[in-house]
Amino acid sequence: MIQFRDLHAQYLALKNDIDKGINEVIESSSFILGKQVNALEKELADFVGRKYCVSCGNGTDALVLALKAYNIGPGDAVFTADFTYIASASCAELVGATSILVDINLETFNISPISLEKQIEKVIAEGKLKPKAIVAVDLFGLPADYEEIVKIATKYNLLIVEDAAQGFGGKIREKRACSFGDISCTSFFPAKPLGCYGDGGAIFTDDESIADRLKSLRAGGKSPNDKYDNREIGTNSRLDTIQAAILIPKFHAFKDYEIKNVNEVANLYSSLLEEVVIVPRVPTGYLSSWAQYTILLKNSDERLRVQQALKNNGIPSMIYYPRGMHQQQAFKKYGLEDVDYPNSVEATKRVLSLPMHPYLKKEEIEYICSIIKKEIE
Ligand SMILES: *Cc1c(COP(=O)(O)O)cnc(C)c1O
């Protein structure tokens, strides 16, 4: 049976270390902020090239905590891609700010710098909100176009929050995902490139005072030396010690061979499929961590046929995403229209994500591609 993302195959490969790690935590009974949490934070910060890593309860909280740490709130405009998972856009709303949705580039599925600048100018012209931040999403594992995003952020004096929930492990030349922009966030939801066995997340920064504030905000707003004298209103969002113990061996496999393996899977898919569908483009100098391998079909009819053919042969596939943020009920209040999001709308009609994980076998990939080719040709 081909799995969309085979978490069990990964568990079997790492079983000894994972089981040992879980047992150590239970034996020590240090379930909250135990030593494994610190050890993991240090390893992850080193890997991505940031000074500080502050882990937390999930990727959504990571984004919310990042915005809170920079005092973003009511009256502020936070720009993000229209084509993404809800948390990239809801984080701004959760701190009382306004999420401004931006169209994407259909080639990379990431935010379009041209549309971004247009939306910033529009907000300035309207004069109701103060442009404050860009939540740049590394969608499907591919880092966003930071070269252009940094230029725009500098021009308009905006904070860059990297949403690397799907991007952990990716690169632009020698720089790793989670090192782009001012502050970076990731998720350890089980199906993400680096996942744990429940919910988890992390925030990366080079700013000591921001790291310090994040550590307080994730623990009720506690003061550094007296946890029952809260210096501000915080939340409860920590990474369980058991999850950190699971993540340590999983991270080692991730950096030692899983990133390489998913790139081999993607290359084989692309070489077998490039003549019949539009395969994902990775710009020169970029490395994707392949949270998803997403092809573009000609139209929704062809997608329906391909998805059905795959299903009839026992192969799972997914539509990420069937709707843009502007089409979601939660954003109806802004009265946004499809005409302003042509690429995002186009993507929702034509994308199809195929099985992708580091333990996918060559024969399985060949089989999946043969079904797609037979349906299209
Ligand atoms: C999964 C995801 C998140 C949120 O992560 P959770 O841990 O599920 O809260 C944020 N942004 C993107 C792009 C995601 O894919």
Side-chain angles (χ1 to χ4, degrees):
M1 240 317 255
I2 296 178
Q3 303 279 323
F4 191 73
R5 190 159 193 99
D6 198 340
L7 298 175
H8 196 68
Q10 185 195 43
Y11 172 60
L12 293 180
L14 306 173
K15 188 176 183 337
N16 283 345
D17 288 342
I18 290 176
D19 290 357
K20 192 163 149 265
I22 293 173
N23 276 317
E24 278 171 13
V25 177
I26 297 172
E27 285 296 332
S28 77
S29 296
S30 181
F31 297 112
I32 303 291
L33 299 183
K35 67 174 199 279
Q36 290 85 345
V37 175
N38 261 320
L40 176 75
E41 288 176 343
K42 172 137 199 355
E43 279 204 51
L44 297 184
D46 285 350
F47 175 72
V48 307
R50 285 273 201 200
K51 284 197 188 127
Y52 307 98
C53 168
V54 179
S55 60
C56 62
N58 55 70
T60 306
D61 281 354
L63 290 162
V64 169
L65 290 167
L67 294 177
K68 269 190 193 295
Y70 280 94
N71 300 313
I72 288 166
D76 295 338
V78 178
F79 301 83
T80 197
D82 184 63
F83 188 69
T84 180
Y85 175 69
I86 185 72
S88 315
S90 62
C91 59
E93 305 278 326
L94 284 166
V95 298
T98 301
S99 191
I100 306 289
L101 303 168
V102 178
D103 202 15
I104 55 160
N105 178 330
L106 202 51
E107 280 205 324
T108 60
F109 302 117
N110 280 330
I111 197 165
S112 153
I114 294 167
S115 303
L116 173 61
E117 191 157 5
K118 275 192 199 143
Q119 292 284 11
I120 296 169
E121 289 287 353
K122 201 168 138 203
V123 168
I124 293 171
E126 281 171 2
K128 292 193 191 115
L129 299 167
K130 197 168 179 332
K132 274 285 176 70
I134 302 164
V135 173
V137 186
D138 302 338
L139 203 75
F140 301 154
L142 183 73
D145 184 351
Y146 289 99
E147 208 176 315
E148 292 303 315
I149 292 168
V150 167
K151 279 186 207 158
I152 295 169
T154 308
K155 179 170 169 188
Y156 295 97
N157 192 25
L158 303 176
L159 177 82
I160 301 176
V161 180
E162 177 185 7
D163 178 354
Q166 300 183 15
F168 192 81
K171 269 197 205 180
I172 303 177
R173 286 170 280 279
E174 289 317 303
K175 284 196 77 177
R176 283 274 177 203
C178 286
S179 74
F180 303 118
D182 301 286
I183 187 162
S184 306
C185 301
T186 198
S187 163
F188 304 126
F189 179 81
K192 307 282 171 163
L194 177 62
C196 62
Y197 287 174
D199 279 309
I203 310 148
F204 297 86
T205 175
D206 292 323
D207 184 326
E208 189 179 0
S209 65
I210 292 288
D212 176 63
R213 190 161 180 206
L214 289 168
K215 282 184 186 167
S216 167
L217 284 170
R218 76 174 173 186
K222 73 180 171 82
S223 301
N225 302 318
D226 183 349
K227 80 181 227 194
Y228 297 106
D229 180 13
N230 296 289
R231 68 185 185 191
E232 64 174 317
I233 302 298
T235 186
N236 176 11
S237 184
R238 293 169 299 224
L239 182 71
D240 291 340
T241 312
I242 284 183
Q243 298 301 346
I246 291 164
L247 280 164
I248 290 169
K250 287 193 59 167
F251 169 62
H252 294 158
F254 181 75
K255 76 176 164 61
D256 291 345
Y257 59 87
E258 288 185 356
I259 300 175
K260 186 171 139 276
N261 288 359
V262 286
N263 274 280
E264 282 169 12
V265 171
N267 289 341
L268 184 56
Y269 263 135
S270 291
S271 68
L272 293 171
L273 290 175
E274 65 192 352
E275 276 163 27
V276 291
V277 301
I278 297 179
V279 297
R281 190 177 83 88
V282 178
T284 313
Y286 282 57
L287 181 81
S288 176
S289 59
W290 298 107
Q292 303 297 340
Y293 182 87
T294 303
I295 57 172
L296 264 185
L297 285 311
K298 279 189 204 73
N299 50 46
S300 57
D301 285 347
E302 188 182 72
R303 177 173 70 181
L304 194 65
R305 282 197 290 116
V306 169
Q307 195 168 29
Q308 195 57 49
L310 289 169
K311 193 175 169 203
N312 293 343
N313 289 280
I315 301 163
S317 64
M318 302 290 280
I319 296 174
Y320 292 125
Y321 293 95
R323 264 176 219 93
M325 290 299 116
H326 77 280
Q327 297 169 320
Q328 310 242 352
Q329 289 180 55
F331 287 106
K332 264 219 175 96
K333 58 183 181 179
Y334 295 137
L336 303 170
E337 290 180 48
D338 283 1
V339 289
D340 291 317
Y341 300 94
N343 292 333
S344 176
V345 170
E346 186 76 4
T348 62
K349 292 177 181 162
R350 294 170 55 196
V351 285
L352 189 65
S353 300
L354 303 179
M356 169 52 89
H357 59 82
Y359 303 87
L360 206 57
K361 297 191 191 78
K362 184 167 177 270
E363 308 79 62
E364 293 174 326
I365 302 162
E366 287 168 348
Y367 179 60
I368 295 165
C369 294
S370 73
I371 303 291
I372 296 172
K373 282 173 132 165
K374 212 165 87 195
E375 187 55 41
I376 292 178
E377 277 167 351

